[in-house]
């Protein structure tokens, strides 16, 4: 259908440019029929002026249409790029929030001297992981969501693994915090035994619980478990987190290509 329209257009153009002037010329060569006060050269000149005006108007109209579409294209591309850049920044911030190496460094710097601070850091990190997808979903509509579903699902699955390991570290630092009070608890119970009634029953029960708990834990075992968990964090970072970064890059690269294709289609003059 498109080829037929092109062929007919070419034939019509040839007829207007070549055919009609030939017809005019042949009519005046015969010098018969309706006689005019002007000759063939005048008619051909007049026709040429009219044809030239039509071509000029058509060219101007095409230029206006093309310029309008170019403006629409540039505006569409600009708005699209700004939109995807904003979303990419949000995704990168979310990935930064669940980056295990960030919290691992702070925990390793503070865990031994202040296990409570290490626990607080890990709990805040868990919160970041748990709300990661909620933040992403809040910035996506129903049309855009399918483009990011694979990436969002991967972030959610990886964040769950980070939460699981961080909880195990919290458990170890909680045991370490208890272990730090072992000697104090033992001294308190010894003083209570020598001087009954020196402390409240709640205080005594708490310290008895600490002493009992410390029978099954040791500094060496806690330190060993924390080291293993830190190693697991690093492994997941290298295998899963880096894969998330690559998937994020490839996802937005595909979107960029799609946006460019949609933008180029705006310049197409064909009817769909």
């Amino acid at each position: 259908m498109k080829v037929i329209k092109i062929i007919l257009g070419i034939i019509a153009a040839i007829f207007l440019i070549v055919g009609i002037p030939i017809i005019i010329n042949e009519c005046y060569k015969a010098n018969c029929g309706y006689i005019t006060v002007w000759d063939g050269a005048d008619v051909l000149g007049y026709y040429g002026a009219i044809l030239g005006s039509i071509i000029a108007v058509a060219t101007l109209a095409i230029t206006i249409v093309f310029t309008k579409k170019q403006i629409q294209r540039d505006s569409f591309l600009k708005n699209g790029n700004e939109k995807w850049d904003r979303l990419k920044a949000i995704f990168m911030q979310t990935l930064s929030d669940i980056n295990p190496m960030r919290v691992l460094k702070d925990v390793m710097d503070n865990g031994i001297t202040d296990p409570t601070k290490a626990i607080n850091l890990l709990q805040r990190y868990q919160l970041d992981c748990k709300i990661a997808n909620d933040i992403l979903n809040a910035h996506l509509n129903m049309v855009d969501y399918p483009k990011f579903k694979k990436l969002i699902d991967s972030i959610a699955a990886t964040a769950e693994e980070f939460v699981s390991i961080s909880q195990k570290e919290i458990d170890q630092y909680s045991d370490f915090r208890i272990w730090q009070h072992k000697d104090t608890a033992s001294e308190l119970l010894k003083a209570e035994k020598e001087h009954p009634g020196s402390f409240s029953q709640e205080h005594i029960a708490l310290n008895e619980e600490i002493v009992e708990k410390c029978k099954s834990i040791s500094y060496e075992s806690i330190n060993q478990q924390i080291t293993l968990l830190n190693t697991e964090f690093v492994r997941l970072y290298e295998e899963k987190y880096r894969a998330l970064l690559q998937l994020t890059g490839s996802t937005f690269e595909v979107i960029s290509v799609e946006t460019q294709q949609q933008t180029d289609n705006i310049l197409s003059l064909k009817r769909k």
Side-chain angles (χ1 to χ4, degrees):
M1 182 64 68
K2 180 180 178 181
V3 175
I4 294 176
K5 289 181 179 180
I6 293 176
I7 293 174
L8 291 176
I10 294 174
I11 293 174
I14 293 175
F15 178 75
L16 290 173
I17 297 173
V18 178
I20 291 181
I22 291 176
I23 292 173
I24 293 173
N25 183 65
E26 293 299 321
C27 288
Y28 276 88
K29 281 173 60 179
N31 196 25
C32 62
Y34 180 68
I35 305 300
T36 62
V37 297
W38 57 81
D39 59 18
D42 294 331
V43 175
L44 286 174
Y46 174 75
Y47 176 75
I50 295 298
L51 184 61
S53 298
I54 293 174
I55 293 175
V57 171
T59 302
L60 179 60
I62 292 174
T63 301
I64 292 174
V65 171
F66 181 83
T67 301
K68 179 181 178 181
K69 287 185 174 291
Q70 183 67 48
I71 293 173
Q72 291 175 337
R73 175 191 182 278
D74 293 343
S75 177
F76 179 87
L77 182 61
K78 179 176 180 292
N79 293 335
N81 287 338
E82 289 178 352
K83 172 185 175 181
W84 302 127
D85 286 345
R86 286 195 301 270
L87 278 175
K88 187 174 183 179
I90 293 169
F91 271 89
M92 295 307 297
Q93 182 58 53
T94 299
L95 290 176
S96 176
D97 290 340
I98 69 171
N99 183 352
M101 303 307 290
R102 174 178 55 83
V103 69
L104 182 60
K105 180 180 181 300
D106 292 338
V107 168
M108 291 176 67
D109 290 342
N110 299 278
I112 299 302
T113 57
D114 189 353
T116 299
K117 183 174 182 179
I119 292 171
N120 290 337
L121 289 170
L122 288 166
Q123 287 175 335
R124 289 174 58 188
Y125 173 68
Q126 284 184 323
L127 182 61
D128 287 338
C129 289
K130 289 179 178 179
I131 67 174
N133 273 18
D134 293 336
I135 295 175
L136 295 177
N137 289 329
H139 289 84
L140 294 174
N141 55 41
M142 296 298 295
V143 176
D144 295 333
Y145 179 81
K147 296 181 176 68
F148 298 97
K149 185 178 185 305
K150 181 180 179 181
L151 177 57
I152 289 176
D153 290 345
S154 298
I155 291 175
T158 304
E160 281 299 319
E161 293 189 62
F162 291 154
V163 168
S164 177
I165 297 177
S166 62
Q167 184 58 51
K168 293 176 182 178
E169 288 222 357
I170 288 174
D171 294 340
Q172 292 301 316
Y173 280 110
S174 296
D175 286 348
F176 182 61
R177 184 169 56 182
I178 292 173
W179 184 85
Q180 284 184 320
H181 294 87
K182 179 184 66 173
D183 293 339
T184 301
S186 297
E187 291 295 328
L188 184 145
L189 293 176
K190 180 180 178 181
E192 173 62 24
K193 186 175 182 180
E194 294 175 351
H195 306 282
S198 300
F199 303 96
S200 67
Q201 289 300 315
E202 291 182 358
H203 204 181
I204 293 172
L206 176 61
N207 284 274
E208 286 177 341
E209 184 179 347
I210 291 174
V211 171
E212 186 63 27
K213 177 70 175 177
C214 288
K215 291 179 180 179
S216 60
I217 60 176
S218 66
Y219 174 81
E220 290 76 15
S221 64
I222 293 172
N223 189 56
Q224 183 181 17
Q225 287 300 314
I226 290 176
T227 299
L228 291 174
L229 291 170
N230 288 345
T231 302
E232 183 68 6
F233 255 139
V234 173
R235 183 189 68 80
L236 280 177
Y237 172 83
E238 294 177 347
E239 294 180 4
K240 300 293 183 68
Y241 186 79
R242 287 179 176 174
L244 282 180
L245 293 175
Q246 294 175 350
L247 181 58
T248 301
S250 62
T251 299
F252 278 94
E253 183 176 350
V254 170
I255 290 175
S256 177
V257 172
E258 291 178 352
T259 302
Q260 186 63 51
Q261 290 174 345
Q262 293 172 354
T263 303
D264 292 340
N265 287 339
I266 294 177
L267 288 179
S268 176
L269 295 178
K270 66 179 182 180
R271 294 183 179 179
K272 299 186 178 179

